Amino acid sequence: MLAQQKNDIAALIQAALAPFVAGTALSPSVVLERPRDPSHGDVACNIAMQLAKQLKMNPRELATGIVAAVLADPAAAGLVESADVAGPGFINLRVAAAAKQAVVRAIIEQGEQFGRSASGAGKSVIIEFVSANPTGPLHVGHGRQAALGDAMASLFISQGYDVTREFYYNDAGVQIQTLANSVQARLKGHAPGDAGWPESAYNGDYIADIAADFKAGKTVACSDSAPVTASGDADDIDSIRAFAVTYLRNEQDIDLQAFGVKFDNYFLESSLYKDGKVEQTVAALIASGKTFEEGGALWLRTTDYGDDKDRVMRKSDGTFTYFLPDVAYHVNKFQRGYTQAINVQGSDHHGTIARVRAGLQAVNIGIPQGFPDYVLHKMVTVMKNGEEVKISKRAGSYVTVRDLIEWSGNGDIERGRDAVRFFLISRKADTEFIFDVDVALKEGDENPVLYVQYAHARICKMLSLWTGGDEASLVDADLAPLTAPSETALLATLAAYPEMLARAQVELSPHQVAFYLRELAANLHSFYFAEKVLVEDEHLKRARLALVVATRQVLRNGLAMIGVSAPAQM
């Protein structure tokens, strides 16, 4: 049912309770739930069981009194069809047919805005995701982050939030020097396996590509920085480093473009050092009294904030551990005005959560506890031709996002993108995921993204065969004929869309959108096989056409929420 209808039913029960709680200190809050068994009704409430003991009443008697008052209330007309008491005092209500059918008109009127709310108006959130080191192509784990983070951002936008999508580049530290050394080794004629090849070097073919372009003196540029021109000198390690980082950032830009993901901001770790933010953070932590020196290293008392042991911030050689610039970075997020920050990262980052949050509390600048929020995802296993794929020749040690998109679309980038995005958010982030390329290539119902997209295309086909008028005129269709079981199921699923979006946003769970779309598609397909739409009865035909137009709109809205296309034909 629609949110306003649910609020109205809650208000009816609240009014029915008033005489029972009059003269007491009770101020009960009515909570409505969907019964597990649809045969029990459309909505259930256990308020009588909650209050019976305090009111010294039998819960069934209290529930019976509430039901009688609800049905006698003139405001229930056209909204509540029936109500009864079940078990020890559950109140089950059935919503009137006209109220259920009202969702069709609401969807047609609201179009792309259906399901959206202003609950987050005036609030801002920064969602950081992907954040791959610029040392190689994006792997499938980054792809899962991209799908999750981008869908999560869309969910927050749907609830009225001001959202910033941010990519954090770890462009400082040992891994960047390793990248430069790897390219330099290629420039000097070495290859993986040679005696002169560095033990820690990156082995993928992309290192040879960078070296070839560097030697040719090419210019590269990425999304948010000035172009870099290679010196071509194999001994110029600074030029090699700058060129390689920019080259790979551009490669990652291309991968993200193929994936349909755009960022509002790119943040460089190196800027934290350049702008003095890391040293400022160290000074603030020392001033807080939460640090101590031992063995020539500077430690933070993270155990004061629930960590299992204290952590080194600055090693005895003067270099910082990884979590210290992370603390500086999140201080910067807070100082930019974000009171809510969400990081989408691999589950291997679990150990950093406590120490980063401890550092943020220790700087003592008012950062709320639990800042930032983390959504950690488990690994992705790629299967192809019935076997696990572990290595990409291009990357040298892992499957890249670009590999997955190309394989899943059999060369069709849009189809591959749709499959990868849908598949990678179709499970909870904290569950391991097996991505089966063979399933992504299937044409039948076994392919979940095509199953949903085909529901949309099927509606488009039906509407193309209708010659009786304008779709816009269906907003005034009489919906009373929509009473068949398959129609009722479709109506209920359509009405659940706004609540699902709100719940998915609060729970940081975009997989709920994929679950919902599969349920809606299943209901549409069931309706299609159970009922004919283009019937002779004009009254019934217009009602059913309005229903499928509304369903098409919600399919479009939901697919757009997760960055998947809604084709008109397949």
Side-chain angles (χ1 to χ4, degrees):
M1 86 189 64
L2 295 169
Q4 187 56 55
Q5 294 171 342
K6 193 172 184 179
N7 292 339
D8 290 344
I9 290 174
L12 286 169
I13 296 174
Q14 199 83 50
L17 273 172
F20 295 102
V21 299
T24 73
L26 297 174
S27 55
S29 177
V30 174
V31 176
L32 303 179
E33 298 177 343
R34 181 187 287 188
R36 293 181 182 176
D37 185 346
S39 68
H40 292 168
D42 300 306
V43 66
C45 180
N46 67 352
I47 192 71
M49 297 167 65
Q50 293 178 20
L51 296 178
K53 186 175 181 179
Q54 294 160 290
L55 293 174
K56 298 179 180 180
M57 292 182 67
N58 178 286
R60 277 192 65 88
E61 290 181 5
L62 177 57
T64 300
I66 294 170
V67 164
V70 166
L71 294 177
D73 192 327
L79 177 60
V80 177
E81 180 182 277
S82 65
D84 55 48
V85 179
F90 288 104
I91 298 172
N92 292 328
L93 300 97
R94 287 171 177 77
V95 177
K100 293 178 182 178
Q101 294 154 0
V103 67
V104 172
R105 186 164 290 111
I107 294 168
I108 295 174
E109 288 177 342
Q110 295 173 34
E112 292 180 359
Q113 295 303 308
F114 179 74
R116 296 175 177 267
S117 85
S119 62
K123 300 176 184 177
S124 62
V125 60
I126 183 168
I127 303 177
E128 179 209 332
F129 56 103
V130 182
S131 294
N133 293 339
T135 55
L138 299 180
H139 57 62
V140 292
H142 296 132
R144 193 172 193 187
Q145 287 182 35
L148 289 167
D150 199 44
M152 209 174 296
S154 294
L155 284 169
F156 272 85
I157 291 170
S158 79
Q159 303 305 301
Y161 285 76
D162 180 18
V163 176
T164 297
R165 294 171 169 91
E166 184 153 287
F167 191 125
Y168 176 67
Y169 277 111
N170 294 102
D171 65 332
V174 174
Q175 75 276 6
I176 300 300
Q177 190 57 44
T178 300
L179 171 67
N181 292 340
S182 302
V183 175
Q184 186 177 55
R186 282 283 191 177
L187 284 164
K188 293 188 174 184
H190 300 296
D194 293 351
W197 187 251
E199 185 177 345
S200 61
Y202 300 116
N203 298 325
D205 284 356
Y206 68 95
I207 296 295
D209 295 339
I210 297 171
D213 284 358
F214 181 86
K215 187 175 182 179
K218 291 189 176 180
T219 299
V220 291
C222 56
S223 54
D224 68 325
S225 65
V228 174
T229 300
S231 70
D233 181 356
D235 292 318
D236 187 352
I237 194 68
D238 291 335
S239 179
I240 292 171
R241 184 188 303 109
F243 182 84
V245 167
T246 304
Y247 181 103
L248 285 171
R249 288 188 61 195
N250 178 58
E251 285 287 299
Q252 292 178 358
D253 286 345
I254 294 170
D255 288 348
L256 291 167
Q257 184 178 4
F259 206 41
V261 175
K262 294 181 180 179
F263 286 89
D264 302 301
N265 193 44
Y266 293 86
F267 195 101
L268 302 182
E269 180 188 359
S270 58
S271 71
L272 295 170
Y273 294 92
K274 180 180 178 182
D275 297 341
K277 299 297 184 183
V278 172
E279 289 293 349
Q280 290 171 22
T281 300
V282 172
L285 290 170
I286 292 172
S288 74
K290 295 294 184 179
T291 63
F292 65 95
E293 292 195 27
E294 184 177 290
L298 182 65
W299 297 66
L300 179 66
R301 298 185 192 279
T302 56
T303 51
D304 288 357
Y305 301 95
D307 200 1
D308 59 346
K309 62 181 180 180
D310 294 329
R311 306 288 176 173
V312 174
M313 292 185 346
R314 187 172 58 211
K315 294 182 282 188
S316 57
D317 64 2
T319 60
F320 296 110
T321 56
Y322 283 112
F323 96 95
L324 196 282
D326 280 350
V327 173
Y329 173 45
H330 287 89
V331 166
N332 175 274
K333 286 182 181 179
F334 182 73
Q335 290 175 336
R336 280 187 274 159
Y338 297 106
T339 55
Q340 183 174 11
I342 301 167
N343 295 350
V344 184
Q345 296 175 317
S347 56
D348 56 328
H349 286 78
H350 185 272
T352 68
I353 296 175
R355 66 194 77 165
V356 169
R357 287 176 173 170
L360 294 171
Q361 291 303 301
V363 294
N364 197 28
I365 59 172
I367 295 176
Q369 290 187 7
F371 181 98
D373 293 313
Y374 286 86
V375 175
L376 302 183
H377 69 84
K378 293 278 184 72
M379 66 179 291
V380 179
T381 300
V382 178
M383 302 290 293
K384 188 180 181 189
N385 299 323
E387 297 180 352
E388 182 179 348
V389 184
K390 293 185 177 180
I391 295 176
S392 161
K393 188 172 185 293
R394 178 167 168 264
S397 59
Y398 53 80
V399 176
T400 69
V401 170
R402 204 179 306 177
D403 289 331
L404 206 55
I405 292 171
E406 290 173 356
W407 294 343
S408 300
N410 203 18
D412 183 331
I413 296 300
E414 183 176 39
R415 174 172 172 167
R417 176 174 63 240
D418 285 347
V420 174
R421 289 189 70 134
F422 193 96
F423 280 37
L424 290 180
I425 70 149
S426 64
R427 297 287 185 275
K428 291 182 66 175
D430 62 1
T431 61
E432 292 189 3
F433 184 72
I434 296 176
F435 191 108
D436 194 329
V437 174
D438 298 337
V439 173
L441 290 171
K442 287 185 176 180
E443 297 294 337
D445 292 352
E446 293 176 82
N447 185 331
V449 65
L450 292 189
Y451 183 72
V452 174
Q453 289 177 318
Y454 188 57
H456 181 270
R458 172 166 270 166
I459 294 171
C460 292
K461 178 65 174 177
M462 277 190 274
L463 292 169
S464 72
L465 298 174
W466 176 46
T467 58
D470 177 0
E471 281 185 30
S473 70
L474 295 173
V475 72
D476 296 322
D478 180 2
L479 305 171
L482 300 177
T483 57
S486 63
E487 293 166 339
T488 302
L490 198 47
L491 289 167
T493 306
L494 290 172
Y497 180 70
E499 190 173 339
M500 178 279 297
L501 283 187
R503 185 174 61 251
Q505 177 262 310
V506 170
E507 297 177 359
L508 308 181
S509 299
H511 71 275
Q512 295 184 37
V513 181
F515 283 14
Y516 172 86
L517 287 169
R518 292 182 70 173
E519 179 185 0
L520 180 59
N523 286 335
L524 183 278
H525 294 313
S526 295
F527 163 76
Y528 176 83
F529 288 113
E531 309 294 340
K532 187 177 179 181
V533 173
L534 301 178
V535 294
E536 292 295 327
D537 184 332
E538 188 68 18
H539 192 52
L540 177 59
K541 178 168 62 178
R542 285 180 60 79
R544 287 180 175 167
L545 283 166
L547 176 60
V548 297
V549 165
T551 303
R552 183 185 62 179
Q553 184 66 64
V554 176
L555 284 166
R556 282 180 181 172
N557 292 359
L559 287 167
M561 195 66 56
I562 57 175
V564 176
S565 68
Q569 58 184 14
M570 296 178 70

